[in-house]
Amino acid sequence: MLTRKQHELLRFIHERLRETGVPPSFDEMKDALDLKSKSGIHRLITALEERGFIRRLPNRARALEVIRLPDSVGAAAGQRRFTPSVVEGGLTEKKSTPRPAAEERYRDGASIPVMGRIAAGTPISAIQNPSHSITLSGDFLSQGDHFALEVRGDSMVEAGILDGDLVVIRRQDTANTGDIIVALIDDEEATLKRFRRRGSSIALEAANQAYETRVLGPDRVKIQGKLVSLVRRY
């Protein structure tokens, strides 16, 4: 039996993982539940972990996996079949859950090109040509074209994105505030950051206090895609 706050936190973590592929930060969880301190979030996470609803991944910065959902959360989500939103590399298991027609082409998974490396730190070289491909279950893809990039750096660790992870990106040239995106700066440097608007400028925000937010003119930044999933090899 979960308390109301435990239900709310589990639902929030699950929805954020489903939408972005990465767990919310402790500050985001605190704000979403209208708590005054992060200590309350720690207690709720511990309670959910003890009851077998979530798992904290060892030696990972704030990486969470939702293992199961109570019936009430599953019903509120429209009775969708639940699968964890953190995947291991090479997962190709076929799913039998019925899908909308728009997602039919991903029913048995899809091969996604790996386009080189992306900086989660100081921007490095622009996106390269495909080096190889990975096959992912359709549960971790959305509509549209996708590609993957290998993460280099630690500027997004507080968003659960670590050095060596593979991020799966849906190609698009627009983003909403708060989205984690691949940004191409001055047609030369590619970086993975959270997207914010500051007046007429664009802010590329790290998820690591050691890095400063970069504020650039809109003519200097091109959005290459939005993060939809994360692949981690153990």
Side-chain angles (χ1 to χ4, degrees), residues 42-57:
H42 283 283
R43 289 193 293 271
L44 291 171
I45 287 177
T46 298
L48 289 172
E49 187 175 29
E50 290 174 347
R51 288 162 175 76
F53 289 96
I54 66 173
R55 181 178 65 174
R56 281 185 270 208
L57 302 178

Side-chain angles (χ1 to χ4, degrees), residues 7 27 50 86 111 116 137 190-191:
H7 267 281
D27 284 327
E50 290 174 347
V86 176
S111 180
S137 164
T191 189

Side-chain angles (χ1 to χ4, degrees), residues 78-98:
Q79 302 294 342
R80 292 183 59 179
R81 178 177 177 273
F82 170 74
T83 54
S85 294
V86 176
V87 298
E88 298 180 10
L91 181 64
T92 57
E93 179 183 357
K94 295 182 179 181
K95 306 295 182 180
S96 58
T97 305

